[in-house]
Amino acid sequence: MILAAEFERCADRYADHAALFGPDSSVDYRGLHQGSLRACEWLRGTRAADDRPRIGLAARNSTAWVTAYLGILHAGAVPFLIDASAGDSELARISDDCSLDLILHDRDTAGEAIPVLPGLTATRRHIGERRYPLHPETEVCRFTSGTTGKPNCLEFSGRAVRAAAENWAKGTAMTADDRILCCAGLSNGLAFNTSLLSTFLIGAQLHLSHGLPTSGRIRRLVAGARATRLVAFPALYDSFVRTGSGRADFASVRVAISSGAPLRADTKERFTELTGVPMGNYYGVAEAGPLTYSAASAAESLGRPLPGVDIETRGTDARDGAVHVHSASMATRYLNAPGLLESRIDAGGHYGTGDRGRLEKGELVLTGRSNRMINVGGRKVDPVEVSNAVGAVPGVEQAVVLEVPDQHGEPAVAAVLVLREGLDAGEVRLRVRDSLAAHKVPTLIRVVDAIPTTVIGKPVLHELRSLFDAAPR
C-alpha cells in the first residue's frame, strides 16, 4: 500500500532525527516506525468480514494516535479517523453505519476494552448484515457532515493522501528545519493535510497539542517547541487575542496557519500585532483537500491555488460565482452515501464546494456559502443531524436548528423549540450530549409556543433569528 511504504521510507531516510512530540512523550523516526510495527502485529489479529479490517481511531492528539494510525496502515487495514469529541452514541452510529470491526479510543467505556498502546484501548464491534464495500484503492477514511443528517464517510486513496501532503509541503515551502505545532485534531483536514504526512516527508518535527489552550499555555507550547509553524482553528486565535500577549515567546514562529472557518480580519491583525507572526491564509474542503495558501495575501484573500489544484468560479456575476475545484487530493466517494459525491463532480472532474467567491489576480476571495452547513470553529455541522437528535428527545414537539452569531460574532448552533409542559431547554441540551459531538450541541436555545411558518409550512428563518437578538429565555 502506498502510505505504509511512504512512512517506511521516511523512517529509513531520517532514522534518528526527532520526529514526534506529544503531550506526554516523544519519539524519533526510527522509534516511531518500530512502535507502529508493534502495533501492526497486534492489529493483524483483528477479525474482519472481508479482507481489510476497518479500524476506527477516535482519540485526542498524542504519539499513541500517530503510532496507531501508522500501525493500522502497516497491517493492511483501513483507518477511519473520527473526531475525538464525538459522543458515545454518535460513535456507535458511525461504527454501525460504516461497519467498523474495531475502535481505538482514549475514553472510558462499557464492554470489552483491550489495552493496545499507552493511553489507547480497543473495543470490538458487532458487525451487522449490511457492509458497504470499500473502493479497492481506499487507504484512509475521514468524516464530514453532509446533507443527509449523518456524518458522511470520505474514502481516500493513498495516492490522494500523498498528493495532499506533497503539494502542501511544496506549496508552502516547508523544510526539514520546520517544527510544526499542531493544535487541531489530527482527524480534521486542517491538521491531517498540513501536519501529518507532510511533516514526515521532509524530515521535520511535529509537536502535538489538543483542546483549546489558554493564551498562557499557547505561549508555553510555542516556546517549548521552538515552533516555526503554528496550526490551529480560528477559535484558538480568537481566544488568544482576547487575553494574550508575549511577543518574545513567538520569536521562532515564521507563520501561523488557520483554516476550517473564515478568520476574522481583526483577529488576524491583532494576532500579528501581539506576536509579530504573520497569519497564513489557507482554504480547503474535506472532499478535495488543501486548495490555496498564502502568507502575504490581503485580509480577505485565501491565496493562490496550491500545486495540483485548479479553481473555477462559475456564474453570470464575475464577483460572486459558485466555486468549483479539482485537485490531486480528491476523495474517491462517500462510503455510506453511494453516488452522492459523484453527483457533485462534473464531467471535468470539478467538485462544487458550496462556497461562492471570485478570483482576483489569481487569488481566491470567498463571498459566502450557497448551502446551509454551519461552520463552528472549523468543524462543519449539519442542521439536519442536530435537528434529528433534538427531535428525538421525549417532550420536544418541534425543533428548528439554524446558525446565529454568538456574543463574539462567530457562527453558533442555535435551536428554536416547542416543548411539552415540564421540559425545559437545559434538559434538552443535556439529553443530546450523549448523541452529538460537543461542538454540535446547540449553545443557544429559545422556547416558543409555535414555530412561525410560511403559507407552505416552511419555518420563517428571519423571524426565528430575530429571537436571538433578545435576552435568553
Side-chain angles (χ1 to χ4, degrees), residues 51-138:
D51 62 343
R52 286 190 291 171
R54 305 176 184 194
I55 301 179
L57 184 51
R60 295 167 296 174
N61 289 358
S62 66
T63 55
W65 191 105
V66 179
T67 302
Y69 170 66
L70 299 182
I72 295 169
L73 295 175
H74 285 302
V78 177
F80 286 66
L81 309 185
I82 305 169
D83 192 323
S85 69
D88 290 342
S89 296
E90 184 176 12
L91 186 59
R93 286 202 309 272
I94 288 173
S95 177
D96 292 342
D97 201 30
C98 298
S99 301
L100 302 187
D101 300 290
L102 192 74
I103 297 179
L104 304 184
H105 56 84
D106 58 358
R107 62 185 73 190
D108 295 328
T109 186
E112 180 186 8
I114 309 161
V116 179
L117 291 165
L120 285 184
T121 55
T123 301
R124 298 192 187 279
R125 301 292 302 175
H126 172 72
I127 305 303
E129 293 182 1
R130 185 191 67 184
R131 189 172 172 95
Y132 294 110
L134 286 164
H135 190 279
E137 295 185 355
T138 295

Side-chain angles (χ1 to χ4, degrees), residues 434-447:
D434 289 336
S435 59
L436 294 174
H439 67 280
K440 298 179 182 179
V441 175
T443 55
L444 301 169
I445 296 179
R446 301 291 184 266
V447 178

Side-chain angles (χ1 to χ4, degrees), residues 2 8 19 21 61 95 100 107 115 156 158 164 175 218 248 263 286-287 302 343 358 367 371 382 417 428 449 451 467:
I2 291 173
E8 187 167 7
F21 296 78
N61 289 358
S95 177
L100 302 187
R107 62 185 73 190
F156 290 91
T175 73
I218 296 171
L263 182 69
E287 291 82 356
L302 292 169
S343 71
R358 63 182 180 271
T367 56
N371 65 18
D382 182 359
L417 309 177
V428 173
D449 294 330
I451 299 291
L467 297 173

